[in-house]
Amino acid sequence: MNQYLLNGKLTAKPGHQDALAAILLQASHLVATAKGCRLYVIGTDKADSHSVYVTEIWDSKEDHDQSLNVEGVRELIMKAMPLLDGPPAKGQELEIIGGAGV
């Protein structure tokens, strides 16, 4: 099992967390159609009014990388960039070794 898991945190400019989350939710619907996408979920933390979290599971890192070619994804990225408070931090990349639901 060489599935690829990515945990990411995007920090929005003050007052833009909801707009950023909405864009990422749109992206989730697009990448759900991509080869190898097993999970793409968006979350927020009630204690942090600026960040949006993305957790992704893919059959491989290559499938994840290819998801950028899904129609509409790059446009959503460009729409989200002005809402970010700085460049996105590199997400936590993990290899899944097992567990419930995998």
Side-chain angles (χ1 to χ4, degrees):
M1 172 180 309
N2 289 322
Q3 287 182 314
Y4 176 74
L5 185 152
L6 180 64
N7 286 318
K9 175 183 175 183
L10 298 146
T11 303
K13 292 177 181 173
H16 293 329
Q17 180 190 41
D18 290 342
L20 179 58
I23 291 169
L24 291 168
L25 285 170
Q26 289 176 14
S28 74
H29 296 295
L30 295 178
V31 298
T33 67
K35 175 184 175 287
C37 182
R38 300 295 172 192
L39 178 77
Y40 191 100
V41 295
I42 312 305
T44 57
D45 179 350
K46 290 180 183 180
D48 180 351
S49 63
H50 300 291
S51 298
V52 180
Y53 298 83
V54 181
T55 300
E56 308 174 51
I57 296 177
W58 296 86
D59 285 342
S60 68
K61 183 172 184 333
E62 292 75 26
D63 287 340
H64 167 266
D65 294 345
Q66 288 300 313
S67 71
L68 293 174
N69 297 323
V70 171
E71 186 175 338
V73 168
R74 290 188 189 272
E75 290 82 358
L76 288 174
I77 291 170
M78 296 308 294
K79 192 174 174 183
M81 293 304 285
L83 303 178
L84 296 178
D85 190 12
K90 179 170 172 35
Q92 181 183 32
E93 297 177 295
L94 303 170
E95 184 176 324
I96 297 173
I97 58 172
V102 293

